[in-house]
Amino acid sequence: MILIIIASVALAAGLLARQYLVGKDIKPADAQLNFSLPDLADKPQSVEQWRGKILIVNFWATWCPPCLKEIPEFIKLQDEYQDKGLQFIGIAIEDKQPVQDYLKRININYPVLIGGEGATMLAQQLGNVINTVPFTVIVNQQGQIVHHQLGELTREKVLEVIAPLLAAK
């Protein structure tokens, strides 16, 4: 019993220490987003090509039920707001093959990039302190991160965050 208590305290201390240390590397809200990852054709895609748009960058995986739950809503939002300067970008944190298999079943209307293990590190740099998926950042037209979302991102939350960005246009 004593060993279990000691192990629990050690685990909690380790998690707090990790969050504190990782938290030091979290980019502030005005951090600039900058990355390049391959698409499904293995062609590098730089986030710079979408500069000037409101970006919703979603880290996801095919094995993640909440991730898959978000995607249909993201597709609808992309359709509704693309003419107003909104751009979704999906970053898969896995290999290309499962993503290609998934995309045979659902037609995603926004870029899907393959990040693999590197995407996990990128997500950490952007504020994913607990290494969870889905993880999403929303970026304003100037390229500054204005919102981090650990876990599922709802339509209501997207609209809440982008409304002032659309108004500022």
Side-chain angles (χ1 to χ4, degrees):
M1 185 65 155
I2 292 173
L3 284 176
I4 292 173
I5 293 171
I6 292 172
S8 297
V9 170
L11 177 62
L15 290 173
L16 286 173
R18 181 177 184 275
Q19 185 170 355
Y20 174 77
L21 293 173
V22 172
K24 294 234 179 256
D25 295 328
I26 294 174
K27 295 185 180 294
D30 64 348
Q32 293 285 323
L33 185 69
N34 188 15
F35 64 84
S36 180
L37 292 169
D39 61 18
L40 289 165
D42 295 321
K43 181 179 176 194
Q45 300 293 329
S46 172
V47 71
E48 288 298 315
Q49 68 186 298
W50 299 293
R51 186 73 68 210
K53 295 186 177 203
I54 299 166
L55 300 181
I56 300 182
V57 182
N58 176 251
F59 293 84
W60 68 286
T62 60
W63 45 261
C64 165
C67 300
L68 302 182
K69 181 180 174 192
E70 291 178 319
I71 290 174
E73 197 61 53
F74 291 171
I75 292 169
K76 290 177 192 172
L77 286 163
Q78 179 67 46
D79 276 340
E80 292 172 36
Y81 288 91
Q82 67 185 352
D83 293 339
K84 294 180 176 146
L86 180 71
Q87 181 62 60
F88 278 81
I89 302 168
I91 300 179
I93 61 161
E94 60 189 317
D95 294 331
K96 183 168 62 171
Q97 191 59 54
V99 175
Q100 286 177 319
D101 293 343
Y102 177 72
L103 293 178
K104 290 175 185 171
R105 297 188 307 268
I106 186 166
N107 184 24
I108 295 181
N109 59 353
Y110 52 85
V112 174
L113 308 179
I114 306 299
E117 290 298 316
T120 303
M121 292 172 53
L122 175 60
Q124 281 181 336
Q125 293 169 357
L126 297 176
N128 190 353
V129 295
I130 59 172
N131 293 327
T132 190
V133 286
F135 171 71
T136 308
V137 293
I138 300 178
V139 181
N140 68 14
Q141 295 92 327
Q142 294 74 42
Q144 300 166 318
I145 298 169
V146 296
H147 181 77
H148 299 90
Q149 181 74 36
L150 294 168
E152 190 175 333
L153 180 62
T154 64
R155 175 185 182 85
E156 292 75 23
K157 188 64 177 180
V158 169
L159 296 175
E160 176 188 319
V161 175
I162 69 169
L165 302 177
L166 292 168
K169 196 173 173 187

